[in-house]
């Protein structure tokens, strides 16, 4: 069975996350997007853990589904084409570890997965002495990364850990601010239990392929969604049975792992170097010439993902390791619809159009990847043109830096279909 998985999300108990980030809203949006397997996020938080226990029931091995009564309520609010889609949940959490190693403070984020509630409960007990699990859905713990991995492995067969958004400056295992140069430096003698790395929004597999030491790892991509509409903006594609342990085997062996759906990395918040407060955005060569110093205020620049990849790269661009799975770069459909209509992607007008589109053509990821362009053109020729350009990789890129999202556009100024917000018609 081929399906999209989004295994890095957050609940309403994580800081800076939507109050709508509950199982009902997450399931609804997973169906609209075309995501089959979701992470629960935040299972270390006592209130969210209790909600998960109350609302989820066992499905396939290691996976869960919503209780029938909750599921029926969601189905009533969705178009028939997406209302019946399967959505399964895997117990997941992002953990932030803060500790001293090698004379530096390290701040590393990790994704942890458990095959059942008993294992998750054991993991929570092991972590409790290291920090207040109830203070944040993404707990901040005074643990070494190796200790966290050891606690994960000790929680039960099938528990595993994936380093999160590995290049992010502040919290990635390779981050410029507090990371390491190799996975081995971070996890020590337990490194052999790491078999996958999350690319994050600001990098893609091709960037990671430049570092030969990463060849043995599967590259995964997930949304890191802080609100339900963000679900599925990045996914990992599997062709295996719907089964926690089948997904785990695919990540370990590569069999059944089909690659990823990515942001264009320029859209990520840390792709280039810069200083947001001064409006300074720089490519790696410019940063090196300036010695890493902001030319406006004289403070240190935030060195982004592209620079960090180039620091560690031992290959030229364009080299693809033998056996590496492919990937596809997409732009979330609400952003495309918003560009066509000349309004913001979260506007009510875009949400109305999204309802119409998914009712007519199916879930968002299918529209972006599979639905024939002619079928899209029957509803909106400008949207069909934009999707066609997206599939060809013909995009206009304005890269993100120092926490500022980049912008990916598909239509140039004045092109047909790029409308004034005040006069923009509906797509239909």
């Amino acid at each position: 069975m081929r399906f999209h998985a989004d295994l890095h999300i957050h609940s309403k108990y994580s800081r800076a996350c939507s109050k709508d980030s509950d199982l009902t809203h997450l399931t609804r949006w997973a169906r609209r997007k075309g995501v089959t397997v979701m992470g629960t996020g935040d299972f270390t938080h006592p209130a969210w853990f209790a909600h998960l226990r109350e609302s989820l029931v066992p499905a396939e091995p290691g996976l869960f589904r919503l209780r029938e009564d909750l599921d029926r309520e969601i189905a009533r609010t969705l178009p028939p084409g997406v209302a019946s889609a399967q959505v399964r949940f895997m117990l997941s959490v992002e953990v932030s570890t803060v500790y001293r190693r090698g004379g530096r403070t390290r701040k590393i984020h990790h994704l942890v997965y458990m095959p059942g509630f008993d294992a998750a409960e054991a993991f929570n007990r092991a972590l409790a002495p290291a920090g207040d699990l109830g203070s944040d859905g993404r707990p901040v713990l005074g643990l070494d990364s190796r200790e966290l991995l050891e606690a994960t492995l000790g929680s039960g067969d099938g528990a595993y850990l994936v380093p999160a958004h590995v290049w992010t400056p502040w919290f990635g295992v390779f981050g410029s601010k507090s990371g390491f140069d190799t996975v081995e430096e971070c996890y020590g003698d337990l490194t052999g239990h790491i078999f996958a790395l999350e690319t994050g929004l600001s990098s893609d597999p091709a960037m990671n392929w430049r570092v030969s030491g990463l060849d043995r790892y599967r590259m995964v991509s997930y949304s890191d969604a802080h609100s339900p509409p963000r679900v599925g903006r990045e996914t990992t594609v599997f062709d295996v049975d719907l089964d926690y342990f089948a997904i785990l085997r695919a990540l370990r062996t590569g069999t059944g792992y089909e690659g990823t759906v990515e942001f264009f990395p320029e859209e990520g918040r840390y792709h280039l170097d810069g200083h947001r407060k001064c409006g300074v955005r720089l490519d790696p060569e410019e940063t090196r010439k300036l010695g890493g110093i902001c030319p406006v205020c004289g403070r240190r620049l935030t060195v982004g993902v592209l620079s960090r990849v180039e620091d560690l790269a031992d290959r030229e661009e364009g080299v693809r390791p033998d056996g590496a799975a492919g990937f596809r770069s997409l732009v979330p459909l609400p952003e495309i619809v918003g560009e066509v209509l000349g309004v913001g992607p979260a506007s009510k007008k875009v949400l109305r159009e999204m309802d119409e589109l998914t009712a007519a053509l199916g879930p968002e990821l299918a529209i972006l990847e599979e639905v024939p362009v002619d079928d899209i053109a029957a509803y909106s020729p400008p949207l069909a043109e934009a999707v066609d350009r997206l599939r060809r990789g013909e995009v206009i890129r304005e890269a993100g830096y120092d926490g500022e999202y980049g912008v990916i556009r598909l239509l140039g100024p004045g092109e047909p279909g790029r409308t004034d917000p005040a006069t923009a018609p509906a797509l239909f």
Side-chain angles (χ1 to χ4, degrees):
M1 175 181 177
R2 189 178 187 276
F3 58 86
H4 289 271
D6 184 356
L7 304 180
H8 182 180
I9 64 99
H10 290 283
S11 76
K12 62 184 178 181
Y13 294 102
S14 279
R15 290 177 187 168
C17 288
S18 167
K19 61 179 174 39
D20 288 335
S21 292
D22 55 40
L23 288 174
T24 299
H25 285 87
L26 290 167
T27 301
R28 181 180 292 119
W29 278 93
R31 285 180 171 152
R32 291 168 63 112
K33 299 282 185 169
V35 174
T36 299
V37 181
M38 290 277 294
T40 60
D42 300 359
F43 72 68
T44 53
H45 192 281
W48 186 243
F49 188 75
H51 178 59
L52 296 175
R53 272 204 181 275
E54 178 190 1
S55 303
L56 296 177
V57 295
E60 298 79 13
L63 300 179
F64 300 86
R65 60 175 176 81
L66 269 188
R67 280 192 346 239
E68 190 108 8
D69 57 321
L70 299 174
D71 201 57
R72 281 197 302 269
E73 286 300 313
I74 295 169
R76 291 194 189 102
T77 68
L78 292 170
V82 297
S84 60
Q86 294 185 94
V87 175
R88 297 293 187 261
F89 284 93
M90 177 187 294
L91 295 174
S92 71
V93 64
E94 182 181 16
V95 177
S96 176
T97 56
V98 180
Y99 57 98
R100 295 284 295 179
R101 176 100 76 79
R104 294 176 57 191
T105 297
R106 312 291 182 166
K107 299 179 180 180
I108 311 295
H109 285 188
H110 320 258
L111 300 172
V112 174
Y113 302 95
M114 293 287 154
F117 282 105
D118 289 347
E121 199 162 30
F123 180 73
N124 292 349
R125 284 196 302 269
L127 263 54
D132 181 3
L133 299 184
S135 66
D136 192 353
R138 182 206 296 112
V140 180
L141 305 177
L143 276 181
D144 189 287
S145 296
R146 185 203 174 278
E147 294 173 323
L148 179 68
L149 177 53
E150 186 173 37
T152 301
L153 299 172
S155 298
D157 291 340
Y160 69 99
L161 180 150
V162 174
H165 42 68
V166 294
W167 296 99
T168 302
W170 300 99
F171 300 108
V173 68
F174 303 131
S176 62
K177 295 295 185 181
S178 59
F180 299 88
D181 286 349
T182 66
V183 179
E184 290 78 8
E185 284 181 77
C186 184
Y187 297 101
D189 60 313
L190 296 182
T191 299
H193 295 280
I194 302 293
F195 43 81
L197 305 173
E198 187 189 38
T199 62
L201 302 181
S202 295
S203 86
D204 61 18
M207 294 169 66
N208 288 267
W209 294 340
R210 295 190 61 197
V211 183
S212 63
L214 305 186
D215 288 355
R216 77 177 194 84
Y217 301 101
R218 239 62 64 194
M219 296 296 153
V220 298
S221 293
Y222 306 124
S223 69
D224 194 1
H226 287 206
S227 66
R230 297 288 194 179
V231 164
R233 60 182 176 176
E234 291 200 333
T235 71
T236 299
V237 182
F238 295 94
D239 191 358
V240 297
D241 292 338
L242 206 54
D243 177 323
Y244 176 101
F245 300 95
I247 292 170
L248 175 55
R249 282 193 300 274
L251 291 177
R252 284 187 185 279
T253 68
T255 302
Y257 161 77
E258 298 287 296
T260 58
V261 169
E262 306 270 345
F263 258 31
F264 287 90
E266 292 86 355
E267 192 170 1
R269 296 167 63 195
Y270 293 100
H271 185 70
L272 291 184
D273 312 327
H275 190 195
R276 178 169 49 170
K277 184 176 285 189
C278 294
V280 172
R281 171 173 44 199
L282 302 167
D283 64 32
E285 185 177 352
E286 292 173 306
T287 300
R288 284 192 288 271
K289 287 178 180 177
L290 292 167
I293 300 300
C294 175
V296 175
C297 70
R299 296 183 178 179
R300 294 209 65 81
L301 296 162
T302 298
V303 174
V305 168
L306 184 60
S307 271
R308 190 66 176 136
V309 170
E310 292 199 354
D311 286 345
L312 301 183
D314 55 2
R315 289 184 178 133
E316 296 299 319
E317 290 184 47
V319 175
R320 179 172 176 170
D322 292 342
F327 67 97
R328 172 174 256 171
S329 296
L330 297 178
V331 176
L333 188 58
E335 293 182 18
I336 303 174
V337 172
E339 184 178 5
V340 170
L341 295 178
V343 298
S347 68
K348 290 182 179 179
K349 179 174 276 192
V350 168
L351 291 176
R352 285 196 301 269
E353 301 294 353
M354 289 293 298
D355 286 340
E356 296 282 350
L357 282 168
T358 54
L361 299 173
E364 176 179 332
L365 285 165
I367 294 171
L368 293 173
E369 292 186 292
E370 302 164 7
V371 173
V373 170
D374 288 346
D375 290 357
I376 302 173
Y379 292 92
S380 169
L383 180 63
E385 174 62 24
V387 170
D388 193 38
R389 292 183 188 185
L390 174 65
R391 292 178 184 177
R392 297 195 303 265
E394 296 175 4
V395 301
I396 302 163
R397 312 175 195 217
E398 186 177 316
Y401 68 102
D402 195 20
E404 187 80 18
Y405 277 109
V407 178
I408 304 296
R409 290 184 288 111
L410 293 149
L411 303 172
E415 282 198 75
R418 197 173 165 79
T419 53
D420 184 278
T423 59
L427 293 178
F428 297 90

